[in-house]
Amino acid sequence: MMMKDVAEGGTVVLRALMSMIVFWVVVVVAAFFVGDALIRGRWSTGLRAAGVLLLVIWALWVFLYRMSIVVDRNAVTARNLLRFTRIPWVHVADFDRRYQVRVILHDGTAVDCWGSPFPGRTAARRSSGSAASTPDTTLETLRALGGSAAPGSSGVVTRGWDVPALLIGAVCAVCALIALLV
């Protein structure tokens, strides 16, 4: 399914499942507390909490949800903490896993993908303590997606700031500041 999406020009985003769950649980709890204050008629408390919680949720969004690996037919993009690295497939030699997924380039350098999915734990790995007996599905998926990349895709490796995340953070910081000062 993923390879078909990429082959048709779509994108696939790989994230850590637990990070997504924790992020959405915090969002629901924050919405509950703000909603509770507003329903009870404590508008000033609810709006102050909303401004501050908005900044907290943005920080968690950046740390837990935004960091990911984005794959399309032309490149693989590592979205790290407020930064990104877009690597065209022609520069990708292989994928490796240390604590996170690493994209190994043909020139020998490596790009770490901080928001990559965690390797699964199977009964064989838990009992023997060996990771050699269980394949890493994330690495297999990335290698397969790289194999279905657009033929002849080229370009340079680009690095830069995650401008949308920074702009959203600036707006959230202003909201939090207003909530604390009013």
Side-chain angles (χ1 to χ4, degrees):
M1 180 73 174
M2 282 191 256
M3 285 181 268
K4 181 182 175 188
D5 294 340
V6 171
E8 292 176 356
T11 59
V12 173
V13 180
L14 302 171
R15 292 185 178 95
L17 179 62
M18 269 321 284
S19 295
M20 289 190 310
I21 291 170
V22 168
F23 170 74
W24 286 110
V25 165
V26 171
V27 168
V28 168
V29 169
F32 173 77
F33 283 124
V34 171
D36 181 58
L38 295 176
I39 288 172
R40 292 177 188 262
R42 298 180 181 157
W43 290 93
S44 63
T45 303
L47 293 177
R48 275 192 174 153
V52 173
L53 287 174
L54 193 61
L55 185 62
V56 170
I57 288 172
W58 170 81
L60 290 174
W61 175 70
V62 167
F63 281 108
L64 299 176
Y65 196 85
R66 183 74 172 166
M67 290 196 302
S68 58
I69 302 171
V70 181
V71 180
D72 60 37
R73 65 184 304 195
N74 297 318
V76 59
T77 304
R79 271 199 225 140
N80 291 328
L81 185 61
L82 300 177
R83 302 276 298 164
F84 75 90
T85 305
R86 183 169 173 80
I87 309 158
W89 286 110
V90 71
H91 295 286
V92 176
D94 196 13
F95 295 93
D96 188 18
R97 182 176 290 280
R98 302 292 178 183
Y99 296 109
Q100 62 275 340
V101 170
R102 301 183 89 193
V103 182
I104 310 298
L105 286 86
H106 286 295
D107 65 3
T109 60
V111 175
D112 292 330
C113 303
W114 297 353
S116 63
F118 302 114
R121 290 185 51 93
T122 63
R125 188 182 313 180
R126 278 188 295 249
S127 64
S128 69
S130 168
S133 61
T134 57
D136 188 337
T137 57
T138 303
L139 294 180
E140 290 176 358
T141 301
L142 285 168
R143 288 178 181 134
L145 290 170
S148 67
S153 62
S154 63
V156 296
V157 176
T158 56
R159 301 170 196 269
W161 290 99
D162 190 354
V163 175
L166 288 169
L167 292 175
I168 293 169
V171 170
C172 292
V174 168
C175 289
L177 187 62
I178 290 170
L180 292 175
L181 294 178
V182 174

